Amino acid sequence: FCALSTGYLSLAQRKRGSKISRVKRGWVWNQFFVLEEYTGLEPLYIGKLHSDMDKGDGSIKYILTGEGAGTTFTIDDSTGDIHAIQRLDREVKAQYILRAQARNRLTNRPLEPESEFIVKIQDINDNEPRFPDGPYHASVPEMSKVGTSVIQLTATDADDPTYGNSARVVYSILEGQPYFSVDAKSGMIRVSLADMDRETRENYTVVIMAKDMGGQLGGLSGTTTVNITLSDVNDNPPIFDQRLYQMSVPESAPVGSVVGRIWAKDRDIGVNAEMKYCIIDGDGRDIFDISTDPTNLFGIIVVKKPLNFEKKPSYTLKVEGANTHLDPAFRQRGPFKDVTIVHVSVEDVDEPPLFDLSAYYVELPEDAEIGTLVKTLSARDPDAANNTVRYSIERSSDPEKYFYIEITSGSLMTLRSLDREEIGWHNITVLAMEMNNPTQITSVSVAVKVMDVNDNPPLLTDFLEAYVCEKAKAGQLIQAVTAVDPDEPLGGQHFYYSLAPEAANNPNFTLRDNQDNTAWILTRRDGWSQQDQTLFHLPIFISDGEQPVQTSTSTMTIRVCSCDQEGNAMLCHPEAYSLPASLSRGALIAILACILVLLVMILLMLSLRNHRKKPYLCDEEENVHENIVRYDDEGGGEEDTEAFDIAAMWNPREAHHHLGKMRQDMLPEIESLSRYVPQASVMGGGGDSNVHGYVLAKLLEADMDPCAPPYDSLQTYAYEGEGSVAESLSSLQSGTSNTDHEYDYLNEWGPRFKKLAEMYGVLETNNPPLW
């Protein structure tokens, strides 16, 4: 039998008196129970196994297998006592399944079948309640009513909930009163104070405790923290931070420019503080616009239409700001909007001139004369000063200078002839500039379309040469011709063809106008031969159908050729390279010989002409003072300081040493002959006598020399210089009178002519005169 710790007996023991003998299980099993967390020093006794076959002689051996056998549980193989050798924890493992068997110690044969039993661990209160998700965060709308649920907490206890009160938990609040409370059984946290305002206090900390054993004394407890935030509701209306805004904007600000921003402050946050602004009144509601910035908090005032300081220097706007998200529960706290005044001042700016049009379009015939008025452009200074405007053409837009604009009136005129076939459009940029401030410049585009005029005659550009076969018959087509005209009439091109008047009765060819801008050249006879004539010129008259009618005459060259059976030219002899039959080779040689003789005669005549040239003077002697003949007119009088070197006249012998000081603008044609002058004629007396005698000697020499030119060597002074009171001093007329010249008037000319008066002996000296 099997004796258990509970005192149960085996079935074999109960039926020992039965006569029927059979093998049965030797024991009856029950559950073993043991408390957890045993802390004794000895192994914990669990129970005893015993077989009814055990005689106590040690022949039976007990074996234990299953969960924890040998590690957690051990068995005495002789007595069957079971002990726990490790500390048991129900929260780790609540029960163990083991198997027991009795064997013969000697043979190790099982005496009875293996049986299974369970060891259950009994719970004790050794685990406190825990909040697995703590600390917690929760939110509740501000102004919530009392009892509004915030968050539910659940604490867990690892003890056995089915055994005693070890796992029975109750909740209580340690911190967070009087704002919040907690339900003792469910752990639900609720609002316990009404009308809590987020704008006053936003965050709260609540401490909750959970205790097992139903909250009784000796129970274990755990705590957690709950951070509660009051979420915002739209319970505050917006209010502008200013009752009056002052803003300014320059008049040159383009449309869309930001003028300034306004803000209606709202104590709420998020969507509850988002605003929408609009201009509800004011004289600038059509000039300015307002929108909300990306944060939906500020109102941005922008320019809606162009500004003009001269027309209106200031504007007033009445702006309303309102919440976009309203909470129906708090409408009684409204209205959720506010109004402010915005005063906008327009600042004066020196603006560039303005044209009366944003762009100009002009049509101009191509035959317009130079100086034709194209268009008068008008620009004005929009400022109050109204400065004068000057006009010009941007040269990069008209590099060929076809146009000119009058600087003050703005009249655009043609400067060159126009040609539609060359340039059909002229896109000109005209500049307008303030005269007092050249930095203020405005440009405008002027598109000039050149209109077509029938100014080009039609021409035959192709098929100006053709050929006719020797076997061609009368009426045979020689060539089809087509004219081209660069003009573009509105009704299309229409050409008229005919033979020129001088070829109207041409016996060889005729022309047929096909009335489709083409014409045919036809033969009028047959019997063509290269020996008779190889080349024909046919003038064709062409006119167009537009006014004024343009005409042209084109000459077609037609050659007579030998052709094959298909009419293709095989051999043509250009007449330009053939000799007339009446001109023989001997005649050609004679013509060339005559031309050669004429060339020789011309060369001979040119050579003889060069050898027959004579010098102006027969006398080869040179005089240093005859360099004056190089001047074709009189000098500048007293204004001329380089006419000649007076030192040469004072000392003729040394004149040849100063030839390098002669005037550089003219070279003398006659070399100086002074070295051959008889010196006796100039010797005697003082300086005045030397000069006087020298002049007389040269005059006598010139009068007696038959080879000298029949004019005075001073004849090259045709006129006295301007500004001279002496008038002409030329001796060209001296030969007409036999009387001596009187030079007393030289004394009246002042000290500047003192030297000249001395040279001509007018002043009283100690030396007697020579004549």
Side-chain angles (χ1 to χ4, degrees):
F1 67 97
C2 175
L4 303 177
S5 61
T6 56
Y8 288 358
L9 299 177
S10 66
L11 292 176
Q13 185 178 7
R14 294 177 181 178
K15 297 181 179 179
R16 179 172 295 177
S18 177
K19 296 180 179 180
I20 300 174
S21 178
R22 59 179 179 179
V23 178
K24 300 179 181 178
R25 173 176 291 181
W27 49 65
V28 175
W29 298 105
N30 203 338
Q31 295 180 347
F32 289 96
F33 293 92
V34 61
L35 291 176
E36 64 173 337
E37 303 296 342
Y38 173 70
T39 59
L41 298 178
E42 297 295 332
L44 177 64
Y45 179 78
I46 295 177
K48 182 180 181 66
L49 296 179
H50 182 75
S51 176
D52 54 2
M53 294 183 181
D54 188 1
K55 303 302 183 181
D57 55 1
S59 61
I60 295 178
K61 178 182 179 181
Y62 296 97
I63 298 175
L64 183 66
T65 61
E67 296 177 343
T71 58
T72 304
F73 302 99
T74 61
I75 188 171
D76 189 332
D77 60 355
S78 297
T79 62
D81 293 332
I82 301 174
H83 294 83
I85 60 176
Q86 288 189 358
R87 185 176 180 179
L88 301 178
D89 190 352
R90 191 202 65 82
E91 287 73 33
V92 176
K93 191 171 180 62
Q95 67 180 13
Y96 295 86
I97 299 175
L98 298 172
R99 290 180 298 277
Q101 189 176 36
R103 289 178 179 269
N104 187 296
R105 187 178 295 274
L106 296 177
T107 62
N108 201 31
R109 292 177 57 187
L111 300 178
E112 293 181 8
E114 186 179 61
S115 296
E116 185 177 86
F117 64 94
I118 298 174
V119 177
K120 287 191 174 181
I121 311 301
Q122 288 183 332
D123 182 51
I124 64 173
N125 189 19
D126 60 344
N127 292 279
E128 70 277 3
R130 296 179 182 274
F131 293 93
D133 299 326
Y136 297 87
H137 297 274
S139 64
V140 63
E142 62 174 332
M143 299 297 173
S144 296
K145 296 180 180 180
V146 175
T148 302
S149 299
V150 178
I151 186 174
Q152 183 172 3
L153 305 182
T154 300
T156 61
D157 195 322
D159 294 327
D160 188 0
T162 64
Y163 182 78
N165 294 327
S166 299
R168 182 169 170 262
V169 178
V170 293
Y171 301 91
S172 63
I173 184 169
L174 301 180
E175 182 180 341
Q177 295 174 328
Y179 309 105
F180 299 95
S181 61
V182 63
D183 187 272
K185 294 182 178 180
S186 65
M188 175 65 72
I189 299 177
R190 291 184 171 87
V191 175
S192 60
L193 181 64
D195 297 332
M196 288 189 293
D197 191 1
R198 184 201 65 84
E199 289 74 29
T200 302
R201 181 178 176 182
E202 184 176 3
N203 298 308
Y204 296 86
T205 300
V206 178
V207 178
I208 301 298
M209 182 181 70
K211 189 175 183 180
D212 59 11
M213 297 299 290
Q216 297 177 5
L217 186 63
L220 302 178
S221 65
T223 61
T224 188
T225 300
V226 182
N227 296 312
I228 301 176
T229 301
L230 298 183
S231 61
D232 185 60
V233 296
N234 192 6
D235 60 339
N236 294 282
I239 300 175
F240 281 103
D241 57 351
Q242 293 180 224
R243 288 290 124 194
L244 175 64
Y245 288 86
Q246 294 285 350
M247 299 181 182
S248 62
V249 60
E251 63 174 333
S252 60
V255 174
S257 299
V258 176
V259 179
R261 72 176 189 174
I262 59 177
W263 183 24
K265 293 183 179 180
D266 194 328
R267 297 177 62 193
D268 299 321
I269 60 174
V271 297
N272 297 315
E274 292 182 357
M275 302 295 299
K276 180 180 180 181
Y277 298 90
C278 61
I279 301 174
I280 60 176
D281 199 2
D283 56 1
R285 61 188 307 175
D286 296 330
I287 305 299
F288 299 94
D289 198 2
I290 190 169
S291 60
T292 307
D293 75 329
T295 64
N296 293 323
L297 297 178
F298 298 92
I300 308 299
I301 298 177
V302 297
V303 178
K304 184 179 180 180
K305 292 183 179 180
L307 304 174
N308 192 323
F309 172 82
E310 288 71 28
K311 290 185 177 179
K312 190 170 180 59
S314 64
Y315 297 89
T316 300
L317 307 174
K318 187 176 182 180
V319 181
E320 179 185 81
N323 284 136
T324 57
H325 298 84
L326 300 180
D327 192 337
F330 301 97
R331 287 186 180 274
Q332 71 278 5
R333 293 174 175 264
F336 289 86
K337 59 184 178 180
D338 196 13
V339 176
T340 189
I341 302 298
V342 180
H343 183 78
V344 181
S345 299
V346 180
E347 297 177 350
D348 189 21
V349 175
D350 189 5
E351 300 173 278
L354 293 178
F355 284 93
D356 54 356
L357 296 177
S358 59
Y360 293 86
Y361 170 78
V362 183
E363 293 182 353
L364 191 67
E366 61 178 324
D367 61 348
E369 297 181 356
I370 295 177
T372 300
L373 177 63
V374 179
K375 183 74 175 180
T376 298
L377 281 67
S378 177
R380 62 177 182 84
D381 181 10
D383 297 320
N386 195 18
N387 293 320
T388 305
V389 177
R390 294 291 182 262
Y391 303 90
S392 63
I393 296 177
E394 186 178 14
R395 279 307 161 202
S396 60
S397 65
D398 185 26
E400 303 296 330
K401 298 183 179 180
Y402 282 94
F403 298 93
Y404 163 78
I405 190 168
E406 210 284 322
I407 189 172
T408 57
S409 66
S411 299
L412 183 65
M413 295 174 288
T414 58
L415 194 60
R416 291 177 54 185
S417 299
L418 304 178
D419 189 351
R420 187 202 64 84
E421 289 72 31
E422 180 180 354
I423 302 177
W425 283 87
H426 294 270
N427 294 314
I428 310 167
T429 300
V430 176
L431 305 177
M433 177 186 68
E434 286 187 18
M435 188 173 180
N436 294 341
N437 188 2
T439 61
Q440 297 297 331
I441 301 176
T442 302
S443 62
V444 70
S445 176
V446 181
V448 180
K449 182 179 181 180
V450 182
M451 306 301 294
D452 186 42
V453 174
N454 191 27
D455 57 347
N456 293 281
L459 298 173
L460 290 181
T461 57
D462 300 323
F463 313 115
L464 294 180
E465 290 190 1
Y467 68 91
V468 59
C469 296
E470 291 182 318
K471 297 181 180 181
K473 304 299 182 180
Q476 182 172 336
L477 174 64
I478 299 300
Q479 183 67 55
V481 296
T482 303
V484 295
D485 190 339
D487 295 322
E488 296 180 357
L490 297 178
Q493 301 283 6
H494 190 75
F495 302 129
Y496 301 92
Y497 302 87
S498 64
L499 293 179
E502 62 270 19
N505 298 322
N506 190 297
N508 302 310
F509 303 96
T510 185
L511 183 143
R512 178 188 298 173
D513 191 342
N514 297 324
Q515 302 298 320
D516 60 354
N517 291 339
T518 64
W520 288 355
I521 306 299
L522 306 174
T523 59
R524 300 188 67 175
R525 64 178 179 85
D526 53 9
W528 305 93
S529 175
Q530 295 186 32
Q531 296 180 354
D532 296 338
Q533 187 173 350
T534 61
L535 194 65
F536 295 90
H537 297 286
L538 185 65
I540 301 175
F541 180 80
I542 312 169
S543 63
D544 55 22
E546 297 296 320
Q547 295 296 328
V549 177
Q550 300 290 333
T551 62
S552 67
T553 301
S554 300
T555 300
M556 174 173 285
T557 301
I558 304 176
R559 303 182 186 278
V560 180
C561 302
S562 299
C563 302
D564 55 13
Q565 295 297 330
E566 286 77 16
N568 299 321
M570 297 178 59
L571 180 63
C572 299
H573 296 286
E575 186 178 16
Y577 299 100
S578 63
L579 295 174
S582 60
L583 186 60
S584 63
R585 181 173 299 177
L588 181 61
I589 294 174
I591 293 174
L592 294 176
C594 292
I595 294 175
L596 182 60
V597 170
L598 288 175
L599 291 175
V600 172
M601 292 177 63
I602 291 173
L603 292 176
L604 182 60
M605 292 175 63
L606 292 175
S607 178
L608 292 175
R609 183 176 180 183
N610 291 335
H611 287 293
R612 290 174 61 186
K613 288 184 177 180
K614 294 182 179 180
Y616 288 106
L617 299 174
C618 295
D619 192 354
E620 297 296 334
E621 295 182 355
E622 297 179 353
N623 192 316
V624 69
H625 301 295
E626 291 181 357
N627 64 331
I628 302 176
V629 302
R630 289 297 301 140
Y631 296 91
D632 295 333
D633 52 19
E634 291 283 349
E638 51 274 85
E639 298 176 357
D640 191 348
T641 60
E642 297 183 0
F644 54 87
D645 189 0
I646 195 65
M649 301 185 67
W650 283 107
N651 194 356
R653 293 183 178 181
E654 298 180 2
H656 61 280
H657 298 296
H658 304 284
L659 294 178
K661 297 182 179 180
M662 296 166 56
R663 286 183 60 159
Q664 301 299 317
D665 56 337
M666 302 293 288
L667 296 177
E669 294 179 357
I670 304 176
E671 296 182 358
S672 176
L673 303 177
S674 60
R675 60 182 180 273
Y676 301 109
V677 176
Q679 299 302 320
S681 61
V682 296
M683 298 299 294
D688 293 342
S689 300
N690 292 340
V691 175
H692 196 182
Y694 174 75
V695 172
L696 290 178
K698 293 302 297 179
L699 180 60
L700 179 61
E701 181 182 353
D703 291 340
M704 300 302 296
D705 189 356
C707 296
Y711 44 80
D712 198 322
S713 61
L714 300 178
Q715 57 83 27
T716 55
Y717 287 90
Y719 303 98
E720 190 68 29
E722 294 182 2
S724 175
V725 297
E727 298 182 353
S728 176
L729 298 178
S730 175
S731 61
L732 294 178
Q733 304 298 327
S734 60
T736 59
S737 175
N738 294 326
T739 62
D740 294 336
H741 291 280
E742 297 294 337
Y743 298 102
D744 295 338
Y745 55 86
L746 293 177
N747 292 323
E748 302 175 358
W749 291 354
R752 297 180 63 182
F753 291 89
K754 181 179 180 181
K755 283 292 183 182
L756 186 61
E758 293 176 356
M759 291 171 58
Y760 283 88
V762 177
L763 298 178
E764 295 182 359
T765 61
N766 297 326
N767 299 324
L770 296 180
W771 63 51

